[in-house]
Amino acid sequence: MQNLAGKTIAILATDGFEQSELEVPRDTLRQAGAEVHVISLEAGEIKGWDEDDWGRAVQVDKTLDSVTSTDYDAIVLPGGQINPDLLRVEQSAIDFIKAFWNEKKVVAAICHAPWLLVEAGIAKGRKMTSYPSVKTDVINAGAHWEDSAVVTDQGLITSRNPGDLEAFCEKIAEEINEGKHERRAA
């Protein structure tokens, strides 16, 4: 894993995030030296989903209304079926994600989280992957869907599922260290 000392990363999530898709990137990126904040709609804790039942709670570090994209070098969007579905109807969450994209920063989404990229208008013309059940939504949004573990397109990182978390985290570190991305057409 590349060194991320001096980098700050936002993980945007709410109740129903897939447990490993939040905890593994959070812990891995912290171990690489990054400061990582779990950001949610409300203070306190959010509860994860662990495969087929409710999982552990995770402490929220900051609320969405108390941060801006300029505070961070990248945003990570964990999946799970519930989490991105709840967030994609929250305009403040969509605006937060769009701000990272517009500032040419790294945007990373795993599993069902590409729904948020679709909602934010980021998918069109991009190479992406997702959990298979989200494939049609991603294609209908104008993305070029690939059946790959991790797909990167000019600072946009997408990953299929929790089995690909190590490669997903490695790619996040690599893309952050590359700096801002020009966002050429896919």
Side-chain angles (χ1 to χ4, degrees):
M1 173 70 68
Q2 294 186 21
N3 186 332
L4 291 173
K7 304 297 183 183
T8 308
I9 301 168
I11 297 180
L12 179 62
T14 192
D15 289 320
F17 63 87
E18 182 64 39
Q19 201 80 46
S20 64
E21 294 173 16
L22 185 148
E23 291 178 341
V24 172
R26 178 197 63 194
D27 298 346
T28 301
L29 298 169
R30 281 180 178 164
Q31 288 170 358
E35 183 175 344
V36 181
H37 298 153
V38 174
I39 298 166
S40 194
L41 303 171
E42 296 178 11
E45 294 181 333
I46 52 176
K47 194 160 191 177
W49 187 263
D50 197 0
E51 296 183 24
D52 58 0
D53 201 356
W54 288 103
R56 297 174 297 283
V58 169
Q59 184 64 43
V60 172
D61 298 308
K62 297 185 181 273
T63 57
L64 185 55
D65 63 1
S66 71
V67 297
T68 68
S69 58
T70 58
D71 299 331
Y72 298 95
D73 297 292
I75 187 169
V76 176
L77 305 168
Q81 293 176 331
I82 301 167
N83 169 63
D85 199 43
L86 293 174
L87 287 176
R88 69 182 174 165
V89 297
E90 294 291 336
Q91 192 59 50
S92 61
I94 299 306
D95 291 344
F96 189 56
I97 296 164
K98 280 184 191 178
F100 279 87
W101 184 252
N102 292 337
E103 292 164 16
K104 301 177 178 8
K105 295 179 178 178
V106 173
V107 176
I110 188 168
C111 193
H112 289 76
W115 269 337
L116 294 165
L117 305 176
V118 168
E119 195 65 37
I122 293 170
K124 187 174 185 178
R126 298 281 130 211
K127 292 186 294 183
M128 293 174 57
T129 194
S130 65
Y131 193 73
S133 67
V134 179
K135 173 184 175 180
T136 301
D137 297 333
V138 170
I139 291 169
N140 286 342
H144 306 287
W145 192 87
E146 294 181 16
D147 186 15
S148 300
V150 178
V151 174
T152 304
D153 186 351
Q154 296 296 313
L156 179 65
I157 305 162
T158 51
S159 185
R160 256 190 322 228
N161 62 53
D164 305 319
L165 282 169
E166 184 177 333
F168 181 64
C169 292
E170 288 282 349
K171 191 50 86 169
I172 291 168
E174 179 183 320
E175 292 293 303
I176 289 171
N177 283 323
E178 283 182 7
K180 292 192 177 188
H181 293 79
E182 288 306 310
R183 311 284 193 233
R184 292 182 295 271

